[in-house]
Amino acid sequence: LDDILAGAAQGDTQESSATEKSSTGSEQLQNNLIHLTAPTLPHVLALFLQPPPNFPPPATALIVLDSLSTAFDTAFHTRTSSKPHSQKTDTEKWAANRRFALQGALIGALNKAAAVHDAAVLVTSQTVTRVRAGSSALLMPALGGVEWDSAVATRQIGRAHV
């Protein structure tokens, strides 16, 4: 992060004095970053559905939620079930419906936070492979649903070459 911020502070200047100035600029940029940890889905939901009065701080331009799908997957272990919907228990059906309801509530709260605070919201998420009988495997977003898909303004798909 230090190298990225130093590069942002330095810009295109290649002088040796610019390197000294970039460390100061890097420190100023780091002072503008606020990192909050929300280790579970209830923490994330509480932060956005019932935000404290000082969240986000004034002049916030970007809110980043990293690996949001992990919080949902940890809270709802529905991804491991390979049963068709008609063969799931009532508890499994309830959990799946609750997952989508919470995703819809969260995306609404994220859109509200972006509009009220004039900030961009960036959500990163994983992808999953879905295999259906009689067809090939599909790479799909780990977060999805009608509410989620209709509320997302822009979707970028990146692929890491491993």
Side-chain angles (χ1 to χ4, degrees):
L1 180 63
D2 289 332
D3 293 341
I4 293 170
L5 293 175
Q10 184 177 357
D12 294 328
T13 308
Q14 297 296 325
E15 301 172 14
S16 61
S17 63
T19 304
E20 294 169 9
K21 291 178 186 176
S22 71
S23 64
T24 305
S26 173
E27 290 170 10
Q28 288 174 343
L29 289 173
Q30 281 184 338
N31 290 336
N32 290 335
L33 296 177
I34 298 171
H35 180 262
L36 300 174
T37 301
T40 65
L41 182 59
H43 288 95
V44 174
L45 294 172
L47 189 60
F48 287 97
L49 295 177
Q50 297 292 322
N54 60 347
F55 180 80
T60 297
L62 177 65
I63 300 170
V64 179
L65 280 84
D66 188 28
S67 302
L68 184 60
S69 58
T70 301
F72 276 94
D73 286 340
T74 302
F76 298 96
H77 303 285
T78 58
R79 295 265 180 230
T80 58
S81 176
S82 60
K83 296 185 232 175
H85 185 72
S86 61
Q87 294 178 359
K88 291 185 178 181
T89 66
D90 287 341
T91 304
E92 290 172 324
K93 289 178 184 178
W94 178 87
N97 290 335
R98 189 70 191 136
R99 177 187 174 106
F100 289 123
L102 288 175
Q103 284 180 8
L106 181 58
I107 195 69
L110 294 174
N111 281 334
K112 180 181 176 183
V116 167
H117 300 287
D118 195 27
V121 176
L122 173 67
V123 177
T124 65
S125 174
Q126 288 74 25
T127 56
V128 294
T129 304
R130 301 245 170 102
V131 180
R132 308 234 185 230
S135 66
S136 60
L138 297 171
L139 187 63
M140 308 200 49
L143 291 176
V146 175
E147 296 87 4
W148 188 267
D149 292 342
S150 64
V152 173
T154 305
R155 182 172 294 191
Q156 293 283 325
I157 298 174
R159 180 175 163 199
H161 297 282
V162 180

